[in-house]
Amino acid sequence: MSNTEKNPAEVLCESEQGAGVQLLTPREVPLGGPRAMNVRRTLPQRSRSLIGGWCFVDHYGPETTRMHVPPHPHTGLQTVSWLFAGDIEHRDSVGSLATVRPGELNLMTAGRGISHSEVSPAEPTLLHGAQLWVALPNAHRDTAPAFENYVPTPFEHQGATVSVFIGELAGVSSPARVFTPLLGAQLDVPAGTSITLTLDARFEHGALVDAGDVTIANVETPEDHLAYLAPGLTELTITATTDARLLLLGGEPLGEAIVMWWNFIGRSHDEIVMFRAQWQADVIEAGNPSGRFGTVANFDGHPLPAPELPTIRLKPRL
């Protein structure tokens, strides 16, 4: 999914470590103009920018609407599309054509540069899910762009249903290719159930509550909020008063500062300026269809122009 904010903020992200549970409150962000679908964004924000390599969490629906995001670029990241309801057609510049469906992982590696579109059926339908980004480490951020689909098999754990789409949890692992140690899983916890998960102590974690009344590590966590847990935990207890659904994200602290603006992740102001200029010249002005971002074939419409850059130089905020 594109970040279609008209004035996207420059974000300099740096891994942080702290103690206890930190509740991250979502902010509403409209995507797509006057009839926008609102998303609830919990990463990045001022108090925390990264959870492992996870750098962007948008949570949307359930809403009867239509998603129509024209071709747009990405650099230096992976997009993780995860639906609870609905379906979205994905096209990208490496030739992928896939349908994002509930319970299926669509993982797109932007690497040095890719473009893609996301369009739901012509008739409005119920859409509900999360769009997540993972920052690539410096050693792999110029890797070749790629796309893969993986359908995890849900399994029972202490009365809950778990689907591991990235990394490993409760002895079950995903083959999805990532470039730093990560975890991504959906947890469906019935009312009156308490589960205890064994965690990798190297990881920091975030639990996004999609639905239900739950406590995470004895902290009540409202719907749409993200509970952050610092590295060092070896166990996590989640208790549901009502039927609940969560996404559990985790990873080793990235240990690198990144500059994120619009749909680009780089390491400096000059890189972001270069990525934007190449997108505008090669794609929007059709100067080089085979350039860094390639071309999304058979899309009926025009690609998404980049917003204007801020009038001040993008500077690291350490």
Short mmCIF file of all heavy atoms in Angstrom, two decimals, residues 1 67-72 88-93 98 108 115-119 296-300:
data_model
loop_
_atom_site.label_atom_id
_atom_site.label_comp_id
_atom_site.label_asym_id
_atom_site.label_seq_id
_atom_site.Cartn_x
_atom_site.Cartn_y
_atom_site.Cartn_z
N MET A 1 0.84 -1.19 0.00
CA MET A 1 0.00 0.00 0.00
C MET A 1 0.88 1.24 0.00
O MET A 1 1.90 1.28 0.66
CB MET A 1 -0.92 0.02 1.22
CG MET A 1 -1.91 1.15 1.22
SD MET A 1 -2.88 1.18 2.74
CE MET A 1 -3.79 -0.35 2.58
N MET A 67 -10.57 -0.31 -2.61
CA MET A 67 -9.19 0.17 -2.64
C MET A 67 -8.76 0.34 -4.09
O MET A 67 -8.94 -0.56 -4.91
CB MET A 67 -8.26 -0.81 -1.93
CG MET A 67 -6.80 -0.35 -1.88
SD MET A 67 -5.71 -1.55 -1.06
CE MET A 67 -6.28 -1.40 0.63
N HIS A 68 -8.19 1.50 -4.38
CA HIS A 68 -7.68 1.74 -5.74
C HIS A 68 -6.42 2.59 -5.61
O HIS A 68 -6.48 3.81 -5.58
CB HIS A 68 -8.73 2.45 -6.61
CG HIS A 68 -8.34 2.54 -8.05
ND1 HIS A 68 -7.54 3.55 -8.55
CD2 HIS A 68 -8.62 1.73 -9.10
CE1 HIS A 68 -7.35 3.37 -9.84
NE2 HIS A 68 -8.00 2.27 -10.21
N VAL A 69 -5.29 1.92 -5.50
CA VAL A 69 -4.01 2.60 -5.35
C VAL A 69 -3.21 2.39 -6.63
O VAL A 69 -2.79 1.28 -6.94
CB VAL A 69 -3.22 2.06 -4.14
CG1 VAL A 69 -1.93 2.85 -3.96
CG2 VAL A 69 -4.07 2.15 -2.87
N PRO A 70 -3.01 3.47 -7.42
CA PRO A 70 -2.29 3.34 -8.69
C PRO A 70 -0.83 2.92 -8.48
O PRO A 70 -0.32 2.92 -7.35
CB PRO A 70 -2.37 4.76 -9.28
CG PRO A 70 -3.45 5.44 -8.54
CD PRO A 70 -3.46 4.84 -7.17
N PRO A 71 -0.13 2.57 -9.56
CA PRO A 71 1.29 2.23 -9.43
C PRO A 71 2.07 3.31 -8.70
O PRO A 71 1.94 4.49 -8.99
CB PRO A 71 1.74 2.10 -10.89
CG PRO A 71 0.52 1.66 -11.62
CD PRO A 71 -0.61 2.41 -10.96
N HIS A 72 2.87 2.87 -7.76
CA HIS A 72 3.68 3.78 -6.95
C HIS A 72 4.97 3.06 -6.60
O HIS A 72 5.05 1.83 -6.66
CB HIS A 72 2.91 4.20 -5.69
CG HIS A 72 2.45 3.05 -4.85
ND1 HIS A 72 1.29 2.34 -5.12
CD2 HIS A 72 3.00 2.44 -3.76
CE1 HIS A 72 1.14 1.38 -4.25
NE2 HIS A 72 2.17 1.40 -3.40
N ILE A 88 -7.66 -8.18 -2.79
CA ILE A 88 -7.02 -7.06 -3.47
C ILE A 88 -6.11 -7.62 -4.55
O ILE A 88 -5.32 -8.53 -4.30
CB ILE A 88 -6.20 -6.20 -2.49
CG1 ILE A 88 -7.09 -5.63 -1.38
CG2 ILE A 88 -5.48 -5.07 -3.22
CD1 ILE A 88 -6.32 -5.02 -0.23
N GLU A 89 -6.21 -7.05 -5.75
CA GLU A 89 -5.33 -7.47 -6.84
C GLU A 89 -4.01 -6.70 -6.76
O GLU A 89 -3.99 -5.48 -6.69
CB GLU A 89 -5.99 -7.19 -8.19
CG GLU A 89 -5.12 -7.59 -9.38
CD GLU A 89 -5.70 -7.09 -10.69
OE1 GLU A 89 -5.44 -5.91 -11.05
OE2 GLU A 89 -6.41 -7.88 -11.34
N HIS A 90 -2.92 -7.44 -6.79
CA HIS A 90 -1.57 -6.88 -6.75
C HIS A 90 -0.92 -7.07 -8.11
O HIS A 90 -0.88 -8.18 -8.65
CB HIS A 90 -0.75 -7.59 -5.67
CG HIS A 90 0.73 -7.36 -5.77
ND1 HIS A 90 1.39 -6.43 -4.99
CD2 HIS A 90 1.69 -7.91 -6.57
CE1 HIS A 90 2.68 -6.44 -5.30
NE2 HIS A 90 2.89 -7.33 -6.26
N ARG A 91 -0.38 -5.99 -8.67
CA ARG A 91 0.46 -6.04 -9.88
C ARG A 91 1.76 -5.30 -9.57
O ARG A 91 1.74 -4.27 -8.88
CB ARG A 91 -0.21 -5.35 -11.07
CG ARG A 91 -1.47 -6.04 -11.58
CD ARG A 91 -2.11 -5.24 -12.71
NE ARG A 91 -3.35 -5.84 -13.16
CZ ARG A 91 -3.46 -6.67 -14.19
NH1 ARG A 91 -2.36 -6.98 -14.89
NH2 ARG A 91 -4.62 -7.19 -14.54
N ASP A 92 2.88 -5.80 -10.10
CA ASP A 92 4.12 -5.09 -9.86
C ASP A 92 5.02 -5.11 -11.09
O ASP A 92 4.72 -5.77 -12.10
CB ASP A 92 4.85 -5.62 -8.62
CG ASP A 92 5.30 -7.06 -8.74
OD1 ASP A 92 5.77 -7.45 -9.82
OD2 ASP A 92 5.19 -7.81 -7.74
N SER A 93 6.12 -4.38 -10.99
CA SER A 93 7.00 -4.17 -12.14
C SER A 93 7.98 -5.31 -12.37
O SER A 93 8.77 -5.24 -13.31
CB SER A 93 7.76 -2.85 -11.98
OG SER A 93 8.47 -2.82 -10.76
N ALA A 98 -1.12 -11.12 -8.61
CA ALA A 98 -1.59 -11.99 -7.54
C ALA A 98 -2.78 -11.36 -6.84
O ALA A 98 -2.97 -10.13 -6.89
CB ALA A 98 -0.47 -12.24 -6.52
N MET A 108 6.34 -8.52 -0.80
CA MET A 108 7.03 -7.88 -1.91
C MET A 108 8.32 -7.25 -1.42
O MET A 108 8.30 -6.43 -0.50
CB MET A 108 6.15 -6.81 -2.56
CG MET A 108 6.76 -6.21 -3.82
SD MET A 108 5.73 -4.90 -4.54
CE MET A 108 6.05 -3.57 -3.38
N SER A 115 7.84 -0.94 -8.43
CA SER A 115 6.56 -0.22 -8.37
C SER A 115 5.44 -1.26 -8.41
O SER A 115 5.61 -2.36 -8.95
CB SER A 115 6.41 0.76 -9.53
OG SER A 115 6.56 0.14 -10.79
N HIS A 116 4.29 -0.91 -7.81
CA HIS A 116 3.16 -1.85 -7.80
C HIS A 116 1.86 -1.09 -7.60
O HIS A 116 1.84 0.08 -7.20
CB HIS A 116 3.34 -2.91 -6.72
CG HIS A 116 3.11 -2.45 -5.31
ND1 HIS A 116 2.29 -3.11 -4.43
CD2 HIS A 116 3.60 -1.38 -4.62
CE1 HIS A 116 2.29 -2.50 -3.25
NE2 HIS A 116 3.08 -1.45 -3.34
N SER A 117 0.77 -1.78 -7.92
CA SER A 117 -0.57 -1.24 -7.73
C SER A 117 -1.38 -2.19 -6.87
O SER A 117 -1.08 -3.39 -6.78
CB SER A 117 -1.28 -1.05 -9.08
OG SER A 117 -1.44 -2.30 -9.75
N GLU A 118 -2.42 -1.65 -6.22
CA GLU A 118 -3.32 -2.44 -5.39
C GLU A 118 -4.75 -2.00 -5.65
O GLU A 118 -5.10 -0.85 -5.40
CB GLU A 118 -2.97 -2.26 -3.91
CG GLU A 118 -1.61 -2.81 -3.53
CD GLU A 118 -1.02 -2.10 -2.34
OE1 GLU A 118 -0.79 -0.88 -2.43
OE2 GLU A 118 -0.78 -2.76 -1.32
N VAL A 119 -5.55 -2.92 -6.16
CA VAL A 119 -6.91 -2.59 -6.58
C VAL A 119 -7.86 -3.70 -6.13
O VAL A 119 -7.62 -4.88 -6.41
CB VAL A 119 -7.00 -2.42 -8.11
CG1 VAL A 119 -8.44 -2.11 -8.54
CG2 VAL A 119 -6.07 -1.30 -8.58
N VAL A 296 4.52 -1.15 -14.29
CA VAL A 296 3.44 -2.07 -13.96
C VAL A 296 2.60 -2.27 -15.21
O VAL A 296 1.93 -1.33 -15.68
CB VAL A 296 2.57 -1.54 -12.80
CG1 VAL A 296 1.42 -2.50 -12.51
CG2 VAL A 296 3.42 -1.34 -11.55
N ALA A 297 2.65 -3.47 -15.77
CA ALA A 297 1.96 -3.73 -17.04
C ALA A 297 0.46 -3.88 -16.84
O ALA A 297 -0.01 -4.32 -15.78
CB ALA A 297 2.53 -5.00 -17.68
N ASN A 298 -0.29 -3.48 -17.86
CA ASN A 298 -1.75 -3.71 -17.94
C ASN A 298 -2.52 -3.06 -16.80
O ASN A 298 -3.58 -3.56 -16.40
CB ASN A 298 -2.04 -5.22 -17.97
CG ASN A 298 -1.40 -5.91 -19.15
OD1 ASN A 298 -1.44 -5.41 -20.27
ND2 ASN A 298 -0.77 -7.05 -18.90
N PHE A 299 -2.01 -1.94 -16.31
CA PHE A 299 -2.79 -1.18 -15.34
C PHE A 299 -3.57 -0.10 -16.07
O PHE A 299 -3.02 0.66 -16.87
CB PHE A 299 -1.88 -0.53 -14.29
CG PHE A 299 -2.65 0.27 -13.26
CD1 PHE A 299 -3.23 -0.35 -12.18
CD2 PHE A 299 -2.82 1.65 -13.41
CE1 PHE A 299 -3.96 0.37 -11.25
CE2 PHE A 299 -3.54 2.37 -12.49
CZ PHE A 299 -4.13 1.73 -11.39
N ASP A 300 -4.87 -0.03 -15.80
CA ASP A 300 -5.73 0.92 -16.47
C ASP A 300 -5.76 2.23 -15.68
O ASP A 300 -6.58 2.43 -14.79
CB ASP A 300 -7.15 0.34 -16.59
CG ASP A 300 -8.08 1.27 -17.39
OD1 ASP A 300 -7.57 2.17 -18.09
OD2 ASP A 300 -9.31 1.08 -17.30
#
